Amino acid sequence: GQNIDQPTEMTATEGAIVQINCTYQTSGFNGLFWYQQHAGEAPTFLSYNVLDGLEEKGRFSSFLSRSKGYSYLLLKELQMKDSASYLCAVGDSNYQFIWGAGTKLIIKP
Amino acid sequence: DSGVTQTPKHLITATGQRVTLRCSPRSGDLSVYWYQQSLDQGLQFLIQYYNGEERAKGNILERFSAQQFPDLHSELNLSSLELGDSALYFCASSAGGLETYNEQFFGPGTRLTVL
């Protein structure tokens, strides 16, 4: 079957760095997405990886290893507003998005 | 503002009823996706339309149906509603449908409460 695993919840300190991992098993692969979702709001796009390696975008970076079925989202210089759920999603060969359950990130002062 | 609009924002109804949720995609986007998100749960993909045609189907119940109209807006119809159908329903749109790696832009969602 198809599956995406992420930690359910993580806690980090303001100003620190946190890494959110995502592992996946899907039928085919057409890219991996990271989205941010604040409680009760719509998800917003953060990053997209289709090739192995690191993509950096400001305070956020995303890494992909297709051979390992693994990705991580790295958030630096954490701010209180980064408290949200982070969703990992994979596009499979059937034109479907497979979504992880999301990682709830709690930032403490 | 993602450019995707959804109406209504909130909907309260009773079990056994039928409701219609409406979505207008971003200008120029041909693909529309529907998702269900129950409280503290992940996004469940329901269905995708591309330029009026059904493109992919996820875990959509038989009581649910959708369509995309010639002007590209989409409607999600939920019938014989049950308490468990209470959730946030998101619509998203993207530029294309033939590749899966198009960024999806999400609407603000419709919160459905079934009493």
Side-chain angles (χ1 to χ4, degrees):
Chain A
Q2 309 207 87
N3 195 50
I4 293 184
D5 286 317
Q6 310 178 230
T8 303
E9 188 173 294
M10 299 182 70
T11 302
T13 305
E14 191 178 13
I17 299 173
V18 70
Q19 177 175 313
I20 303 174
N21 295 326
C22 169
T23 57
Y24 63 90
Q25 289 179 306
T26 57
S27 56
F29 179 82
N30 277 314
L32 187 142
F33 295 79
W34 284 96
Y35 280 78
Q36 180 191 60
Q37 186 179 25
H38 287 99
E41 298 182 8
T44 54
F45 171 77
L46 289 177
S47 69
Y48 165 70
N49 295 70
V50 67
L51 299 176
D52 289 352
L54 188 68
E55 295 280 341
E56 296 187 77
K57 195 185 284 188
R59 294 189 299 115
F60 293 3
S61 303
S62 57
F63 171 83
L64 175 67
S65 168
R66 288 172 297 171
S67 63
K68 295 182 179 177
Y70 167 71
S71 172
Y72 67 72
L73 180 69
L74 191 71
L75 292 76
K76 303 175 187 174
E77 301 169 14
L78 286 169
Q79 303 175 9
M80 297 304 292
K81 67 178 182 179
D82 297 329
S83 292
S85 288
Y86 291 85
L87 311 177
C88 172
V90 173
D92 74 2
S93 58
N94 294 319
Y95 307 105
Q96 286 198 31
F97 270 74
I98 312 300
W99 292 82
T103 298
K104 184 176 181 180
L105 177 63
I106 299 168
I107 310 295
K108 294 186 174 179
Chain B
D1 184 357
S2 67
V4 179
T5 60
Q6 288 186 250
T7 56
K9 194 168 185 179
H10 300 278
L11 197 50
I12 301 174
T13 188
T15 54
Q17 295 298 305
R18 173 189 169 95
V19 296
T20 297
L21 313 184
R22 182 188 169 101
C23 168
S24 292
R26 290 189 323 154
S27 176
D29 282 358
L30 298 178
S31 275
V32 169
Y33 307 77
W34 285 99
Y35 293 91
Q36 179 193 57
Q37 188 173 41
S38 301
L39 190 63
D40 292 334
Q41 299 294 311
L43 283 171
Q44 294 295 319
F45 168 69
L46 296 178
I47 198 163
Q48 177 199 357
Y49 280 84
Y50 173 73
N51 203 21
E53 306 236 342
E54 184 183 302
R55 181 74 183 159
K57 215 167 188 176
N59 299 321
I60 187 166
L61 300 172
E62 285 191 14
R63 300 183 285 110
F64 295 0
S65 65
Q67 54 183 324
Q68 185 179 29
F69 295 87
D71 67 353
L72 300 178
H73 91 271
S74 178
E75 292 181 356
L76 178 67
N77 300 296
L78 315 176
S79 61
S80 302
L81 285 168
E82 301 175 0
L83 295 177
D85 297 327
S86 295
L88 256 176
Y89 290 84
F90 286 109
C91 167
S93 74
S94 69
L98 299 181
E99 308 96 26
T100 60
Y101 48 85
N102 285 292
E103 173 188 350
Q104 293 183 25
F105 295 86
F106 284 77
T110 293
R111 183 171 294 282
L112 173 66
T113 303
V114 182
L115 301 175

